[in-house]
Amino acid sequence: MVKRNMDVPWSYTGDNGPEYWHTLCDWYEKGASYPYQSPIALDHQQVEPLDLGTTGLTFTYQTERFTEKEFKNTIHFIPFECESYVSFKGKDYALTDIHYHLPSEHVIDGEQKPVEIHLVHMDHEGNNLVVAVLCEIVEGILAEGPLRKATVWDMDRHLEVFDPTLFLPEQRSHFHYVGSLTTPPTKGPINWFVFDQPGKLSRTFLSQFKEEILQGNNRPLQDKKGRAVYYVSERK
Ligand SMILES: [Zn+2]
């Protein structure tokens, strides 16, 4: 008898590690039954070009208030008002959560990066859209580039004000494919957008959020099952 409980504990190792997630409860089992799972290996040599014109992914991010919370084996940055959003194929998806995985979950041209940031969005019907940025870790506090303003988090107030554009690389070319959530219930379909230019994340920033404890919170690569992966060049 499998448990029907949204709070069933899961982890990245041992008896409730990734290979057992689908056995832990009905909800996880249902999510895992979606055939096109994430993450997958991405390769510039195995893509189809995609040009959706003005209906391609566009960002309308703005400075807003975030709080931080630890759950689901990572640290999440949650916006209070969800004012930032992206648009894709005529639909708007509000930014609802930013979190990260150490090391990266997606692999580009056979290369894994130390960190992968996920910017999770949701439309009015509850459909998710995830933007991923693979990052290098740089020592010290960033004087410029991503996260320069959010390098030091206000741990007393659990509140920080920043523009989530800080997490995005300058160049917006990206892979696009349809997959699943990478954490239980691993449900799909989810529209994925993975930037191919690496971002930079400050060690000082990460170390505030138990970097050592969270190390290894990446789901193993999943079978592509012949699905199409598209590549969107940066639009001028
Ligand atoms: Zn994630």
Side-chain angles (χ1 to χ4, degrees):
M1 188 67 185
V2 278
K3 280 195 275 183
R4 192 181 290 274
N5 180 352
M6 287 166 63
D7 300 318
V8 170
W10 55 271
S11 76
Y12 288 97
T13 55
D15 290 349
N16 58 1
E19 63 267 48
Y20 302 111
W21 287 350
H22 67 285
T23 68
L24 300 177
C25 70
D26 293 2
W27 197 46
Y28 298 173
E29 185 182 22
K30 184 166 181 281
S33 70
Y34 179 69
Y36 299 113
Q37 293 284 309
S38 294
I40 59 171
L42 301 167
D43 192 325
H44 283 99
Q45 305 303 318
Q46 295 171 34
V47 291
E48 298 172 28
L50 181 68
D51 185 359
L52 296 170
T54 56
T55 67
L57 185 70
T58 54
F59 291 85
T60 310
Y61 280 0
Q62 64 179 76
T63 300
E64 60 176 311
R65 299 189 305 156
F66 290 80
T67 189
E68 92 281 358
K69 280 189 185 127
E70 183 184 344
F71 61 95
K72 288 189 186 176
N73 299 300
T74 188
I75 302 291
H76 297 258
F77 306 108
I78 315 280
F80 283 81
E81 278 88 31
C82 295
E83 290 169 329
S84 297
Y85 64 94
V86 296
S87 307
F88 180 64
K89 290 185 176 173
K91 257 188 178 180
D92 293 342
Y93 297 76
L95 177 67
T96 55
D97 170 61
I98 303 171
H99 65 267
Y100 53 84
H101 301 267
L102 301 170
S104 72
E105 299 200 298
H106 288 91
V107 169
I108 298 179
D109 299 336
E111 196 182 344
Q112 192 173 34
K113 293 289 183 190
V115 183
E116 180 168 335
I117 296 171
H118 286 163
L119 299 116
V120 182
H121 306 75
M122 192 184 282
D123 72 4
H124 290 298
E125 282 108 54
N127 300 305
N128 286 123
L129 179 157
V130 187
V131 172
V133 186
L134 278 60
C135 293
E136 307 281 3
I137 297 176
V138 295
E139 299 302 326
I141 291 172
L142 289 172
E144 55 182 344
L147 285 177
R148 60 193 177 278
K149 284 180 188 160
T151 299
V152 180
W153 196 269
D154 190 335
M155 288 294 188
D156 295 328
R157 294 194 305 151
H158 297 288
L159 172 74
E160 208 51 67
V161 179
F162 64 88
D163 180 340
T165 308
L166 294 168
F167 286 96
L168 305 179
E170 279 170 36
Q171 195 186 305
R172 301 281 169 85
S173 55
H174 57 267
F175 295 94
H176 166 54
Y177 77 96
V178 177
S180 72
L181 295 178
T182 65
T183 54
T186 67
K187 65 171 183 172
I190 305 280
N191 276 306
W192 275 93
F193 301 83
V194 183
F195 286 111
D196 59 345
Q197 185 187 49
K200 287 189 176 69
L201 203 54
S202 140
R203 170 85 62 198
T204 309
F205 174 82
L206 268 181
S207 62
Q208 299 171 105
F209 305 106
K210 306 187 203 169
E211 179 191 349
E212 326 75 49
I213 295 170
L214 300 173
Q215 190 69 242
N217 64 350
N218 62 308
R219 186 188 194 192
L221 289 172
Q222 305 293 303
D223 192 344
K224 268 174 75 176
K225 294 185 177 169
R227 83 190 97 162
V229 176
Y230 300 96
Y231 184 73
V232 180
S233 303
E234 187 174 23
R235 281 172 290 159
K236 296 288 173 212

